[in-house]
């Protein structure tokens, strides 16, 4: 969705109508309590006796989707803009701000029919992305306070060497993750990168310091990407998220600080995403029925964000 919106800004002649219609359906499907169900829409032709989307309304998934509402407001008519912002505000006020933990983290909430209440790193990160996008449009003080707390929680979880204390969705026992678990850490990097655009002073310095460790620490992203097998995972889900490395590296170099090695890596990443067979191994533009194609939509979307960030980061998150 966000890749299509970015492409529409880069090329105003591009028809982004299908993406807007999906956002319209998303708004229409908002629950009375302000939440959404984190599942695909059932096609009208599907005769299902049980709606599989009812079992989960997890904050990790919905944070990524809800961010699109705020990010799309500059590309829609005034009526849609108000509709999108109203839905995003209601979701935030009813389902996000009241459930932020004292640590600044967010729990995942309803996940596979179980309400999860422990801090979850991915839910915190995707909600941070959603909150930053909403704040950019509304300048809401309560949203900004939530951004500050969530950013501090994530920044404090980053070790000096670039590894991360990771909080899973279903356990109170944390783990130490490195960039070989990029599929989960992608969201932490993205959330902190976006937060770096709105936080200033000591709080902004804390976020930028965490980002330097994540990218440049001895066990950070650059170090892992030097390993020849980093992009050769046999897991289609993990591969699809690694297609987002160009997106994150590009934003770091433009938003945090220039870095010659990261610049060189971005060129290598761009080439690998543009040319088979490596892009197909990641799932980028892969047919769904092909090997590594089951996550093709995710991989292709993340690759699209990477190329958009290379051209103009402002199409992803306006200043």
């Amino acid at each position: 969705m966000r890749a299509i919106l970015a492409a529409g800004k880069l090329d105003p002649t591009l028809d982004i109508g299908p993406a807007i219609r999906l956002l319209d359906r998303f708004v229409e499907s908002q629950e009375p309590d302000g939440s959404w169900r984190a599942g695909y829409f059932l096609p009208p032709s599907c005769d299902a006796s049980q709606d599989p989307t009812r079992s989960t309304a997890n904050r990790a998934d919905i944070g990524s989707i809800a961010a699109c509402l705020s990010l799309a407001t500059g590309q829609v008519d005034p009526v849609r803009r108000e509709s999108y912002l109203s839905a995003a505000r209601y979701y935030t006020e009813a389902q996000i701000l009241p459930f932020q933990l004292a640590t600044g983290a967010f729990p995942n909430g309803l996940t596979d029919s179980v309400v999860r209440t422990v801090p979850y790193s991915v839910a915190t990160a995707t909600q941070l992305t959603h909150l930053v996008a909403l704040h950019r449009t509304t300048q809401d003080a309560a949203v900004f306070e939530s951004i500050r707390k969530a950013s501090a929680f994530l920044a404090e979880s980053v070790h000096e060497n670039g590894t991360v204390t990771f909080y899973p969705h279903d356990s109170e026992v944390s783990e130490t993750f490195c960039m070989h678990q990029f599929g989960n850490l992608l969201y932490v990097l993205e959330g902190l990168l976006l937060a770096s655009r709105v936080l200033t002073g000591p709080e902004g310095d804390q976020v930028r310091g965490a980002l330097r460790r994540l990218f440049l620490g001895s066990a950070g992203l650059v170090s892992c990407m030097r390993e020849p097998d980093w992009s050769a995972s046999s897991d289609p889900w993990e591969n699809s998220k690694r297609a987002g490395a160009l997106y994150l590296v590009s934003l770091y170099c433009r938003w945090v600080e220039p870095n010659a090695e990261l610049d060189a890596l971005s060129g290598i990443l761009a080439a690998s995403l543009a040319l088979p067979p490596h892009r197909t191994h990641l799932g980028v533009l892969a047919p769904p029925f092909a090997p590594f194609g089951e996550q093709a939509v995710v991989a292709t979307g993340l690759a699209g964000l990477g190329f958009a960030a290379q051209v103009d980061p402002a199409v992803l998150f306006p200043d």
Side-chain angles (χ1 to χ4, degrees), residues 20-43:
I20 299 304
R21 287 192 289 274
L22 277 176
L23 283 177
D24 290 345
R25 289 185 65 187
F26 182 61
V27 170
E28 291 166 3
S29 68
Q30 190 169 25
E31 299 283 325
D33 66 358
S35 68
W36 281 280
R37 301 301 167 180
Y40 290 105
F41 301 113
L42 285 174

Side-chain angles (χ1 to χ4, degrees), residues 1 5 16-24 72 75-76 80 84:
M1 183 73 69
L5 293 173
I16 63 170
I20 299 304
R21 287 192 289 274
L22 277 176
L23 283 177
D24 290 345
Q75 293 171 266
V76 296
R80 275 195 172 96
Y84 291 2

Side-chain angles (χ1 to χ4, degrees), residues 36 41 44 59 83 96 101 154 183 203 211 217 225 232 243 249 271 295 305:
W36 281 280
F41 301 113
R59 293 187 179 94
S83 173
I96 303 306
L101 304 176
L154 292 176
E203 293 165 332
L211 286 166
M225 289 178 67
V249 168
Q295 300 288 334
L305 291 178

Side-chain angles (χ1 to χ4, degrees), residues 108-163:
N108 212 26
L110 181 64
T111 310
D112 297 329
S113 303
V114 178
V115 177
R116 303 293 184 180
T117 59
V118 295
Y120 181 31
S121 295
V122 175
T124 305
T126 63
Q127 287 300 331
L128 178 57
T129 295
H130 156 64
L131 291 167
V132 172
L134 181 61
H135 180 264
R136 179 188 67 84
T137 306
T138 64
Q139 300 297 304
D140 184 279
V143 170
F144 185 74
E145 181 64 18
S146 184
I147 290 169
R148 292 178 57 250
K149 293 177 181 178
S151 298
F153 173 82
L154 292 176
E156 290 165 6
S157 73
V158 181
H159 306 160
E160 191 62 34
N161 65 353
T163 58

